[in-house]
Amino acid sequence: MARVHVVLNQKGGVGKSTLAVNLAAVTADTVGGVAGENPPVVTVSIDPQGSAVWWSERVGDALPFDFVQAHDDIAGLAGLRHIPHVTDVWVDTPGWLDLSDGASSDDPLGDGKAAEALRAVLDNADDVIVPIEPEPLSFQPTFNTIEKVVKPRKLPYLVVANNWDPRDGRADLDDTLQFVRNQGWPLANTVIRHYKIHSRASAEGLVVTQYPKNRVAMEAREDFYRLALEHGQMRNGKH
């Protein structure tokens, strides 16, 4: 059966699509996936307005993994583990979660099609990647995501500091890392740095494994390979 990995945070704009797409690309590269029929890796988007859809369309036939938009296919989402020929599924989720105080403590996702889709994904997930940007505005949404959604389902998860620009200095990054440690959450050693090449890649129809062979591209690509390695260690109970 395929292993299902969900990229999730209540806060929008934390780079979930970039993580899902590029981790899928790195996974495909590792397991020998190529563009064409029956790729072993699939990215699934349940965000009807997500950038992953537009990105995948620009990559087109050169995409080294399969891409499926499935926000309205609840039955398909419930069967993600059973896609033929697939070893890994990466799920990109909406840039919002309605975790209001009025929601049920047993199921804080609420009602509606988006909640139903996310529930179907989480019910079949093997693990969760929770990206957090190095800024205080990310703290509460990340807390809500982990404490209200992920931990009650007893899913393995890994928090990743994402989109850190080294030109901003380390103050916000260090505060964010300390916040995560104070909660006792598992934290990735890898920090995904901000590079202009990441934002250009979606417009140019590239995934991280297709970046040009130069120093900046190599450094940008290295972050995702390191994170994929850490994620594999988490899956094997070594993180």
Side-chain angles (χ1 to χ4, degrees):
M1 292 191 297
R3 298 186 64 88
V4 179
H5 321 293
V6 181
V7 183
L8 180 68
N9 195 314
Q10 179 187 15
K11 188 177 186 301
V14 295
K16 290 187 289 291
S17 295
T18 300
L19 277 178
V21 168
N22 282 331
L23 284 171
V26 169
T27 304
D29 186 54
T30 302
V31 300
V34 295
E37 296 183 0
N38 300 325
V41 178
V42 175
T43 297
V44 174
S45 173
I46 60 171
D47 183 0
Q49 300 177 338
S51 59
V53 181
W54 179 76
W55 193 346
S56 68
E57 289 174 349
R58 294 190 67 82
V59 179
D61 293 339
L63 200 66
F65 51 87
D66 203 359
F67 179 86
V68 179
Q69 178 65 37
H71 65 281
D72 56 356
D73 183 7
I74 304 304
L77 293 173
L80 288 178
R81 291 176 181 270
H82 304 286
I83 304 175
H85 312 292
V86 171
T87 61
D88 293 270
V89 179
W90 288 92
V91 183
D92 182 30
T93 59
W96 52 268
L97 293 174
D98 185 13
L99 303 180
S100 62
D101 292 337
S104 166
S105 59
D106 294 330
D107 190 356
L109 296 181
D111 299 321
K113 200 73 171 181
E116 190 178 1
L118 184 55
R119 192 175 296 111
V121 165
L122 291 172
D123 286 347
N124 291 275
D126 288 282
D127 51 67
V128 178
I129 297 287
V130 183
I132 182 171
E133 284 199 316
E135 61 176 19
L137 287 176
S138 292
F139 292 3
Q140 190 62 49
T142 303
F143 182 89
N144 292 343
T145 301
I146 293 173
E147 297 297 330
K148 294 185 178 183
V149 178
V150 179
K151 288 177 71 171
R153 286 173 166 79
K154 296 180 169 54
L155 288 167
Y157 65 96
L158 187 64
V159 182
V160 179
N162 191 41
N163 203 29
W164 170 59
D165 192 335
R167 294 173 299 181
D168 293 337
R170 289 194 57 94
D172 285 341
L173 175 64
D174 289 340
D175 287 348
T176 301
L177 298 179
Q178 191 59 52
F179 167 76
V180 174
R181 294 187 185 104
N182 288 345
Q183 311 310 312
W185 300 334
L187 174 65
N189 293 317
T190 302
V191 173
I192 302 297
R193 292 166 289 183
H194 173 85
Y195 285 100
K196 190 69 175 178
I197 192 171
H198 290 321
S199 55
R200 289 202 308 264
S202 58
E204 295 173 358
L206 297 174
V207 294
V208 70
T209 53
Q210 299 168 330
Y211 285 2
K213 297 186 183 302
N214 57 49
R215 181 186 60 80
V216 172
M218 291 289 287
E219 290 178 354
R221 186 161 55 241
E222 178 188 13
D223 288 351
F224 285 94
Y225 277 97
R226 291 178 59 198
L227 179 58
L229 177 61
E230 282 199 75
H231 175 256
Q233 292 172 335
M234 179 191 74
R235 283 169 44 183
N236 295 324
K238 298 178 181 179
H239 197 280

